Amino acid sequence: MARLRVVLLLIMSLFSSSLLALSEFHLELKDHLFYPSSVTIPAGQKVKLIIHNLDDTPEEFDSFSLNREKVVFAQSTTHIYIGPLKPGEYEFYGRYNPNTARGKVVVVKDQGANHAD
Amino acid sequence: MLINTVILFMHYALPIFILLGFLFVQVKLSLHLQFLAVLVGLITALGFISQVDSLGAWLDGAGLEWIFFSLHLLLYSGVLLLAYGLLSRTNTGKWLEPMRLAVLLVVVMIVTKGSNFLLYFNGYLNQVNALQSLLVGTFVGLGICLSIAILLYFSMEWLGRHFGRIAPLTALLVFVAGQLANASNLLVQVDVLPTTSVLWNSQWWLDDESEYGHLCNVLFGYVARPTALHMSVFIISILCPLVIQVWRLKRVKPVQRGVQQ
């Protein structure tokens, strides 16, 4: 019986680790500008970045340093996964409006990283 | 908007023109077939972007990544079949005919790359005073892409004359391997493939965002911070067919020697 409990606990721990929800961070696109323009995330963790496009035109979220490119259709929401990353700053921009739509992901070591400027 | 349209056109259309430059060296496509391939590609791309919103929502928002990665895989497989058809001395059959494969490759490339530009064009067409900038930007971008494709065509023809057919075919293989390595990143961003460590940072030497960085990215998938996955896909995509070809040649030679004796 004790063995069975151990096996069950092991299986449960495996499932719980795979079902652990990733931290979510939100970005908004309005008038071809990113809000917030800086997102702070924890180092060494994979996170989900949810992008809401409030404009009537599509935009492409692009970042060379993050190796990401994703089209966000007009008036819609999409998501990408970023990380695990080393501490530092990773710039991103809107490929369709690169002069205005700019921002950065700031990766920090401490755990209280779920804030945005 | 004018400069951005030129940059965007080059970003999305340059791979199409590079592919055309490579293909014209290998397969002498008639003007009629060229026109047909571009027309079918554009119509398919227009059909694709009309449904892109719903396709993007597939598989929990990973639909477009899967579609674009599959199209890149199709492109890579098509180039392998084309190389097989061109290097094989036996009859390869109707569907492996180089002319048909070349047309298919152009159509797939236009859908893969052209649909993004059409999406931008379509999205910003209704903005005030945008049409003129969009059209002028497209024509300027077209001129630059055409010039690069012509330069590539003559370079590949020279390469073929001096080193045999295998040389431009290997260059074409490196080109599609780079495209496939870039596309593998799409599956990483939707968490289908795991995130792997960055191997090096050559930003100081060649910036991704620079003109040369962009050209190298299109030509052989250059990225300043390549991940282990990116490099693995790139190297395996090049080495596998080359190893198979060398093995085939080694197998064929003893058989030919046996026949001659």
Side-chain angles (χ1 to χ4, degrees):
Chain A
M1 193 67 184
R3 268 189 198 167
L4 188 70
R5 272 184 194 168
V6 171
V7 172
L8 277 173
L9 274 171
L10 271 170
I11 292 169
M12 279 171 71
S13 67
L14 277 173
F15 271 93
S16 62
S17 63
S18 65
L19 292 175
L20 266 179
L22 294 171
S23 303
E24 291 183 355
F25 295 85
H26 292 260
L27 262 181
E28 271 187 8
L29 251 168
K30 197 177 178 191
D31 300 325
H32 311 305
L33 291 165
F34 280 113
Y35 296 101
S37 58
S38 174
V39 183
T40 308
I41 67 165
Q45 279 182 38
K46 185 181 279 184
V47 301
K48 189 176 182 179
L49 189 63
I50 302 166
I51 310 158
H52 310 270
N53 186 1
L54 306 178
D55 286 333
D56 294 325
T57 49
E59 185 55 272
E60 188 179 303
F61 175 92
D62 220 300
S63 172
F64 287 105
S65 48
L66 292 166
N67 262 336
R68 297 288 181 266
E69 55 176 356
K70 175 98 181 177
V71 173
V72 196
F73 302 111
Q75 302 285 343
S76 70
T77 298
T78 191
H79 67 267
I80 53 165
Y81 295 87
I82 54 173
L85 294 164
K86 287 179 181 168
E89 288 187 0
Y90 300 80
E91 289 189 358
F92 61 80
Y93 67 100
R95 195 181 275 276
Y96 298 166
N97 297 279
N99 295 329
T100 53
R102 298 197 81 92
K104 63 184 175 188
V105 171
V106 181
V107 182
V108 292
K109 262 184 183 171
D110 65 312
Q111 290 300 302
N114 54 348
H115 60 84
D117 300 329
Chain B
M1 180 167 259
L2 175 69
I3 294 168
N4 197 37
T5 305
V6 175
I7 294 168
L8 276 168
F9 187 85
M10 281 188 64
H11 178 74
Y12 295 122
L14 193 57
I16 302 169
F17 283 84
I18 297 267
L19 180 74
L20 284 169
F22 274 122
L23 289 178
F24 287 158
V25 180
Q26 305 295 340
V27 187
K28 301 291 172 206
L29 280 173
S30 65
L31 205 66
H32 167 76
L33 269 179
Q34 287 170 40
F35 180 73
L36 184 77
V38 173
L39 190 71
V40 171
L42 283 174
I43 292 169
T44 316
L46 279 170
F48 177 70
I49 67 156
S50 69
Q51 299 299 319
V52 81
D53 225 343
S54 53
L55 293 172
W58 278 7
L59 305 161
D60 193 26
L64 285 183
E65 276 81 359
W66 273 109
I67 290 170
F68 283 127
F69 181 77
S70 307
L71 286 172
H72 278 94
L73 206 58
L74 185 65
L75 206 66
Y76 174 74
S77 313
V79 166
L80 291 191
L81 289 175
L82 180 81
Y84 175 74
L86 289 169
L87 295 172
S88 178
R89 283 170 192 172
T90 53
N91 190 6
T92 49
K94 209 165 98 176
W95 288 103
L96 285 181
E97 199 185 300
M99 201 78 87
R100 282 173 194 267
L101 281 169
V103 171
L104 178 77
L105 286 172
V106 174
V107 171
V108 173
M109 189 57 120
I110 291 176
V111 176
T112 312
K113 302 289 178 184
S115 55
N116 272 316
F117 184 75
L118 288 174
L119 198 70
Y120 164 74
F121 202 95
N122 186 42
Y124 288 82
L125 196 62
N126 296 328
Q127 282 197 345
V128 186
N129 301 328
L131 184 64
Q132 195 184 353
S133 300
L134 285 171
L135 286 176
V136 174
T138 303
F139 282 115
V140 173
L142 199 69
I144 298 169
C145 289
L146 209 59
S147 310
I148 296 171
I150 291 168
L151 203 67
L152 182 90
Y153 170 81
F154 286 114
S155 311
M156 288 301 120
E157 212 174 47
W158 179 87
L159 211 63
R161 269 203 310 273
H162 287 80
F163 300 98
R165 193 169 223 177
I166 194 83
L169 271 177
T170 308
L172 175 59
L173 180 65
V174 171
F175 166 68
V176 283
Q179 295 292 319
L180 190 64
N182 282 337
S184 67
N185 212 37
L186 294 174
L187 294 186
V188 177
Q189 77 179 15
V190 288
D191 210 21
V192 174
L193 290 177
T195 310
T196 51
S197 56
V198 173
L199 295 178
W200 67 77
N201 188 350
S202 51
Q203 189 100 20
W204 57 273
W205 180 67
L206 187 56
D207 192 351
D208 278 313
E209 291 185 62
S210 68
E211 292 83 1
Y212 289 117
H214 178 66
L215 185 65
C216 290
N217 176 267
V218 175
L219 283 175
F220 53 89
Y222 170 81
V223 282
R225 297 182 187 89
T227 59
L229 179 83
H230 182 99
M231 285 314 292
S232 307
V233 171
F234 181 66
I235 292 167
I236 292 168
S237 311
I238 294 170
L239 283 185
C240 270
L242 288 180
V243 168
I244 291 170
Q245 176 63 11
V246 170
W247 176 73
R248 264 187 68 220
L249 286 173
K250 276 188 177 173
R251 240 184 103 205
V252 166
K253 272 179 188 167
V255 174
Q256 281 175 346
R257 260 184 239 134
V259 170
Q260 280 164 5
Q261 280 165 8

